Every structure is written in C-alpha cells, then in structure tokens.
Amino acid sequence: MALRTTLQNAASRGFRRSLYVRRAAPFSANAVAEEATPPYVLLPQDDASPARVASLLDAHGLVVIHDLVRGDALEHFSSSLREHTSEVLAACEGVPLGVGSARSFEEVVLRSPGRYDVPHDFAALEKHGALDRVEALARAALGDDCERAFCGTVLARPGSPAQEWHADSLHESEAERPAQLLNVLVALDDIAVPMGPTELLPGSHQRTNHRAEARRHRPRFDEAIVYQHASHGPALLGMDEGAVFRAVVPRGGGVIFDDRILHRGGANASADDRWVGYLSYLRRGFSADTHFEAFRRLRDLVAAAPDVPTVRAEFPGLAAVGENALLDGASGSQVHASVLDAVREALVFAAANLGGAYPSSAKVLDTVVAARAAAADLFGCEPAEVVFGNNATSLVLRASRALARTWDAGDNIVLSSLDHDCNAGPWAWAARDAGVRVRWIPVKGDGCLDVDALEALVDARTRLVACGYASNGLGSVTDVSRVCGVARRAGAVSFVDAVHYAPHGLVDVALVGCDFLVLSPYKFFGPHCGALFGRRELLEALEPAKLRVADGGLPSDANCHMSKWEVGTQNFEALAGTTAAVDYLASLGDRFGGLAAGGRTRRERLVAGFGAIARHEHVLKRRFLAGAAKVPGLVVHGVADLGRLDERTCTFAVTKAGVDPERLTAALVDDHGVYCTYGNHYCTFWDDLGLDNATGATRLGFLHYNTAGDVDKALAALAAVE
C-alpha cells in the first residue's frame, strides 16, 4: 500500500486528537529571554507604532509584539481559525498526505511530520477589526501597495519534530532587494518553550538578501537556502547558534518577519497542540510560489462546478444511467472513453496474430509489449513478471494447478474465509486433489480478516497462504503485507487477490511482499481480462500445463513477448484496452494529483492518480457512513467507524431491519433509481456476521466517478424503503 506510509498513518491517527486542547502551564514573560529582552521584542507598554515596527524589521528582520491582536478581535480571530481547521482536518481523516508543499492541498499542507498548515480566507477573519493593526504594520513595512497573500492556521501536534532551517522566498536579483513578503504569526494559545516556538535568526535577512558580494562567495547560495534541508542552519551563513531566537509569546502575541530571514518551526516537546494563526502579505507583483508550489484540492473529481475538471463525462456508459445512481462498481466498472478508442483501434488495425512480417501483426506485437509495460507499472514489477488471461478466476485456476504439483500429502494450505470464491475455490479443489489439508483464517465480527489468528495456522508444512487485498462483499481491507510476511517466514508461497482493491488503491507487489497477485482490468475502467503478477523465480521454476508447441520461457524478443503461462492466442484488443485503462489512471495524477504531465514516470503518475482517487473516495466513504448511521434500522456490515476509513474501500454491504435484502435491493433499483445488487457475491462468510449465506446483503459499490449526490440519493432511498 504505497500511499499508506508509516508517516501518513501516524498523521491520520493524529487527526483524532481533540483540536481544542489548551496548555495548562501559565505563560511567563520572563521566558522571552534568559537575560534581557531583545530590542525587537515589544511588550504591551512599548511603542509598537507602524514606523517603529518597520524600522525594527529593517534592522533585525523580525519583530515580536506581545499584544498584537486583542479583545473581541482576538476571540473572533481564534475561533474562526479553530473552527475552520477542525472542519478541514475532520474531512481529511484517513486521507494519505505527503510531507511538503509540493504534495500539498489547498485545504491542508503537511509541512513536516505532525505539522499542518490549513489555509483560510482573509475575509472570514476581518470581524471586530481583527486585521486592522496587522495590515497597518504590513503597509508600513512593504509599502501601501502590499497585498494579501496567505492566511490560515499552523497546527503542530505533540511530538512533531523541528523543521529544517529555510527562508521563504528566492530573490534572484544580483542587486540588493528589500523584503518582498511579510509573515505574521499570531499565537492562539500561550506559546512556551516546550511547545516549540518558531525559531528565527535575527540579522540573517541581510545575508540571505542575495547581495552581489554574498553571491560571489556562494554562487548558488540563494537556491540552497530557500528550501528546507538538513545542511541549513546558522553555520551556513557564518552565524553562531547562540544568535537563534525562540519566539515565546502569549496568546494574542505576534511574530512578524520578512521572507529573507532564516527560520524554522520548533519541535513540540509538550503534551499539547501548538496553535498559531498566520497571515502573509506581499509586494504587488511579487510571486511567492515557494509557499504552495502545487495547489491540489480534496475536491470532488466529478463536481458540477464549471471551473472544476470532471471525469464523469468521460465514461460514455454513465450517460445511459441518466439521473439514476449506478452503484455497482464492485461488480465491474464503467469503461473509460480512451479504452473504447484503444479497443476499437486494435480491432480495426491489429486484426492479426503474432509473428507476421506485416504491419497489423507488428501492431499486435506492439500491443502486447505495451500492455506488459503498463501492467508492470501498475503492479510495480518487471514486464516479464506479468501474465495475462481471460479473467482473474482462470489465472488463479492455472496457478493453483501448477503449485499443487509441488505439494505432498501431509502438507497444508491456508485460505481466507473473507475471500471471493475466485481465490478460495480453486485452491480448495487443488488441495483436495493433492491430498492436502485446508486451514481457514476466520472473519472477525467487524467484517475484517482475523490476521492475528494466522500465526497459529501456519507451520512448517504450510505450502500456500492465499487471501484477498479487500473484500468484494464488505469492502474490508486486509493487511496483506503482514499476511505475506507470515507466509514468507514459514517458507510458504503467498497469493493475493487484488481484484476488488485495484480500482481503489495502487498495488505495490514489492511493498506487499507477495509471490503472486491477481487483478482484473474490468474492475479498474478497462476491458474484461485478467492480469497476474508472479515473482520471476517462481514463474520460471513452476511448470504450468501448456501446449506442446508453446514456448517454455517468460516474455522476451525471442518469443514475441508471450509467456509460458499464457495459453493460446490472447485477447489483443483487451490488452490494448488494459494499457489505455492504466494510462487513464496515470492521467489522474497529472490532472488531480498536482503533477505536470512531463518528466514523470508512469508509476509516479499512478501514485498521484490513486492519491486523487483515495481523497475523493474518502469523502464519499465518510458521507455515506455518517448518513447511514442516521437511517433507522439500517446496518452497515464491516468497518463503519469513521476513524478507520483507511481499513475499507468505498463498497458497503447493508441490511435493514424488517426488509430482506432481495426486497430492499428491488425497491432501491425499481422505485428509487439506485442501481445495486444483493446476494452473497461469491463469498461464504455471511453466517459469521449473523446473516444468511444464500442472500447475504445489499451491496452499494462507489467508484471515483460517483458523486456526493449519488451518496445522498442512496441514503434517501435507504431511508424511504420500509
């Protein structure tokens, strides 16, 4: 699971903390400095006129004002920022965020581990003249033509480390240039030393101003200092660590500094959140692009707003749905327009077989090579480790027969009770034929696989552990990395069914640590076929049943890039469509993931594209679960905790008291235009949840082309059916 790094999981867990924890220890003005108050620190009785502040900024690069925002203005300023920040972070819970503004969003930026910037609107802060004094000081420092740049909240969680030293702007002129940007930080609570106040290097603005003499001694110094890096710090400027100033300020106090000064957010070693409001102003015409290099929103990919790009219109099949809500994505996805074009082109211009010395046959070869490369990028593997087939089930059957030939009586295999029968039935049949015992990993009451029970099931005679990445019946996501780790330590082969997971998250076979992994393009907006990853050593060593005349190796130039694991003529038009489907998913990285189309690998674009899908589906998941909890008699089976959204996909199995699944589904489809299905969905775990294995539950499967409106329509229909 490439988007769920340890850092991201820690960050998402941090969202669950209270957003209104206040520091218990009283603020002490004596903590401002150990010996004497620096000249740039202005206490309430000091002259803090605009002229004085501008003079201090020019001399030192910073000014601290202990009573910058006061009274009703402070109360409004603080409450507006807190409420907005709370709303944004709640909406982001479980969303994988990348550290650094290059991977940022307009709604929230993870500046460093545990440190969040949440942009806000200046207009929302203006009440009670909250900005009047700040903006008078900004005009004095930058000139009457200064403009508003950014505002919002900086929230640092307990345990968040210090940032690296950096300046905020890159001045490229050889000549001396004044400050172009002014930053104002306002403490929303008392900021004491353990909370990690902002650290600044007074006077460093003169050395980061890119004067001609500074550039002669350090030719590319400007480019090295503006971004955070471990090598930055006072020594880089020839300054002493003792010159560092910690901006310890009381609630309502402010720290004002210009864009040239070296600074960093300190490490929060306290037990409380550090809340700071920020306001930035710039000289008219100056571009401050180092603050937010890439704007990306946690927005609906299919929003109706005219200025928001849409993907929904790119799926011709959705046009036939009209005003109805198509919520059967777990059964199969709609096909993207680019896939239709690719399939048609293959049928028209590549109606041939491999091995011919003519254009259409050459095009078939290109199609096969391109499809392997695309699937390899999707899996995160080598092209030769990709096997194509009619569908996932046939590939599992093929692999099961090849592996079963290596089993002996007395061996055992471990299967998942949560799985689609595609990844259970073939293995169970192979085990029966080989005289091998089958052990089953149970399902917990929350609809998740009991991975804790796996350790006791695996022993020295275990030859295979097979499980699904996500349940097609409930949407539950399994920690397949852990499952594969258990198998690997026991010397068993691991096989992962990622068919249901594939449209929701990007697989990474190296991170998962699996030996085999299977998926189906028709689930991720492509044509009907199957694709299998197999670790090269195993694909080469095993002996699948094959035709006498078929090549016995893996894909290469010598065998027209066909694998010994593939039987007969492949569905070349489906392979062309598979490439197009992968390219479509990568394009989402360009359009919604904050990436430029050029200069990135397809894998990098896929990472960004699936990040966009995850953010959109996160909104749908939260909206559905929150709404479902308010529908009388409705039960969502599986993970329903809003704090565990990363443990499920956007597929929901529901039942309603007094309404059997068949009647509930019929009413949703016929009376309310909510297209969904019911049944066991080829799974046999339903009785573990107290349901009938034959009828199962009603299943609603959302994909990234579904909208918040689809969620609302489904919830209204579920509430109406009695």
Side-chain angles (χ1 to χ4, degrees), residues 311-596:
V311 299
R312 189 175 177 85
E314 298 168 17
F315 291 86
L318 291 176
V321 176
E323 298 299 317
N324 301 305
L326 180 59
L327 305 182
D328 198 25
S331 295
S333 62
Q334 293 298 293
V335 178
H336 190 259
S338 64
V339 175
L340 296 173
D341 292 341
V343 170
R344 182 182 185 279
E345 181 176 351
L347 286 170
V348 174
F349 300 106
N353 212 324
L354 292 164
Y358 47 90
S360 57
S361 182
K363 188 169 181 63
V364 172
L365 179 59
D366 291 343
T367 298
V368 172
V369 171
R372 287 202 198 284
D377 286 341
L378 190 66
F379 284 123
C381 69
E382 301 175 25
E385 294 178 310
V386 174
V387 178
F388 289 114
N390 291 342
N391 46 55
T393 305
S394 63
L395 288 170
V396 179
L397 278 165
R398 189 154 176 72
S400 70
R401 292 298 158 178
L403 278 165
R405 296 176 65 184
T406 68
W407 302 341
D408 296 318
D411 290 341
N412 67 79
I413 65 172
V414 180
L415 306 179
S416 162
S417 298
L418 190 62
D419 279 21
H420 187 291
D421 204 45
C422 159
N423 198 36
W427 299 112
W429 276 91
R432 186 200 66 176
D433 293 348
V436 168
R437 294 183 58 191
V438 178
R439 299 171 178 175
W440 295 90
I441 312 171
V443 178
K444 298 187 294 184
D446 62 358
C448 293
L449 195 65
D450 189 356
V451 180
D452 290 334
L454 177 62
E455 297 275 2
L457 296 172
V458 173
D459 59 27
R461 297 299 299 271
T462 300
R463 297 294 173 253
L464 170 85
V465 178
C467 75
Y469 209 138
S471 166
N472 71 301
L474 299 172
S476 309
V477 174
T478 295
D479 185 353
V480 289
S481 295
R482 182 181 171 194
V483 171
C484 294
V486 173
R488 184 168 54 254
R489 288 189 293 274
V493 171
S494 56
F495 194 104
V496 175
D497 171 7
V499 171
H500 180 72
Y501 182 80
H504 305 287
L506 180 61
V507 300
D508 186 331
V509 295
L511 188 64
V512 171
C514 56
D515 294 309
F516 292 93
L517 185 145
V518 70
L519 44 75
S520 296
Y522 82 96
K523 291 292 183 78
F524 56 84
F525 323 108
H528 283 86
C529 67
L532 173 75
F533 155 77
R535 190 158 52 84
R536 174 185 279 273
E537 302 94 295
L538 286 172
L539 292 180
E540 290 177 333
L542 291 169
E543 297 183 12
K546 69 179 187 67
L547 299 180
R548 175 173 48 84
V549 295
D551 186 88
L554 298 187
S556 68
D557 290 338
N559 61 13
C560 293
H561 291 270
M562 298 306 294
S563 172
K564 70 178 183 178
W565 287 81
E566 295 164 348
V567 179
T569 300
Q570 292 296 295
N571 186 339
F572 300 127
E573 57 269 26
L575 299 191
T578 297
T579 301
V582 174
D583 284 338
Y584 162 68
L585 292 167
S587 77
L588 296 179
D590 306 330
R591 299 158 60 189
F592 301 100
L595 297 182

Side-chain angles (χ1 to χ4, degrees), residues 60-423:
H60 304 284
L62 79 152
V63 176
V64 176
I65 303 177
H66 272 214
D67 61 343
L68 182 61
V69 184
R70 298 166 287 196
D72 291 342
L74 176 58
E75 297 307 317
H76 170 72
F77 184 86
S78 178
S79 63
S80 179
L81 288 172
R82 287 180 186 273
E83 290 171 8
H84 175 70
T85 300
S86 300
E87 178 182 350
V88 168
L89 292 186
C92 293
E93 185 175 352
V95 174
L97 302 175
V99 173
S101 54
R103 293 183 294 278
S104 70
F105 313 99
E106 289 182 3
E107 286 87 348
V108 59
V109 180
L110 186 61
R111 287 293 186 189
S112 55
R115 182 181 183 274
Y116 305 91
D117 284 14
V118 181
H120 199 22
D121 183 5
F122 277 94
L125 302 175
E126 292 176 330
K127 192 175 180 181
H128 300 297
L131 304 183
D132 291 353
R133 189 180 185 198
V134 170
E135 297 193 339
L137 298 176
R139 285 192 296 273
L142 298 179
D144 290 336
D145 64 345
C146 78
E147 298 176 340
R148 293 172 172 178
F150 318 106
C151 72
T153 305
V154 180
L155 175 62
R157 299 294 194 190
S160 57
Q163 288 183 294
E164 303 292 354
W165 290 96
H166 61 284
D168 276 337
S169 294
L170 177 64
H171 298 314
E172 296 177 334
S173 172
E174 292 284 350
E176 178 181 348
R177 293 184 64 183
Q180 301 292 306
L181 183 78
L182 199 68
N183 298 301
V184 182
L185 304 180
V186 180
L188 304 188
D189 291 320
D190 296 344
I191 305 297
V193 171
M195 300 185 79
T198 298
E199 297 179 322
L200 305 101
L201 193 60
S204 60
H205 65 310
Q206 300 295 341
R207 304 194 183 201
T208 60
N209 196 31
H210 314 297
R211 300 171 187 266
E213 60 270 22
R215 292 173 68 89
R216 281 197 298 272
H217 295 296
R218 198 181 299 276
R220 299 188 65 79
F221 164 77
D222 52 334
E223 295 179 6
I225 200 68
V226 69
Y227 294 108
Q228 298 184 55
H229 192 273
S231 67
H232 293 178
L236 185 64
L237 302 181
M239 301 181 73
D240 189 87
E241 286 282 352
V244 174
F245 170 75
R246 290 180 175 177
V248 177
V249 289
R251 182 172 186 264
V255 184
I256 307 174
F257 57 96
D258 72 36
D259 55 338
R260 302 166 297 175
I261 197 167
L262 204 63
H263 68 282
R264 67 177 179 179
N268 186 354
S270 76
D272 303 311
D273 294 331
R274 181 177 79 238
W275 284 84
V276 176
Y278 68 85
L279 304 154
S280 295
Y281 299 85
L282 50 75
R283 292 183 188 271
R284 185 171 301 159
F286 177 69
S287 175
D289 60 355
T290 62
H291 269 241
F292 299 95
E293 290 92 342
F295 283 142
R296 290 185 288 152
R297 299 193 62 183
L298 299 172
R299 64 189 175 194
D300 190 334
L301 293 183
V302 289
D307 61 333
V308 177
T310 178
V311 299
R312 189 175 177 85
E314 298 168 17
F315 291 86
L318 291 176
V321 176
E323 298 299 317
N324 301 305
L326 180 59
L327 305 182
D328 198 25
S331 295
S333 62
Q334 293 298 293
V335 178
H336 190 259
S338 64
V339 175
L340 296 173
D341 292 341
V343 170
R344 182 182 185 279
E345 181 176 351
L347 286 170
V348 174
F349 300 106
N353 212 324
L354 292 164
Y358 47 90
S360 57
S361 182
K363 188 169 181 63
V364 172
L365 179 59
D366 291 343
T367 298
V368 172
V369 171
R372 287 202 198 284
D377 286 341
L378 190 66
F379 284 123
C381 69
E382 301 175 25
E385 294 178 310
V386 174
V387 178
F388 289 114
N390 291 342
N391 46 55
T393 305
S394 63
L395 288 170
V396 179
L397 278 165
R398 189 154 176 72
S400 70
R401 292 298 158 178
L403 278 165
R405 296 176 65 184
T406 68
W407 302 341
D408 296 318
D411 290 341
N412 67 79
I413 65 172
V414 180
L415 306 179
S416 162
S417 298
L418 190 62
D419 279 21
H420 187 291
D421 204 45
C422 159
N423 198 36

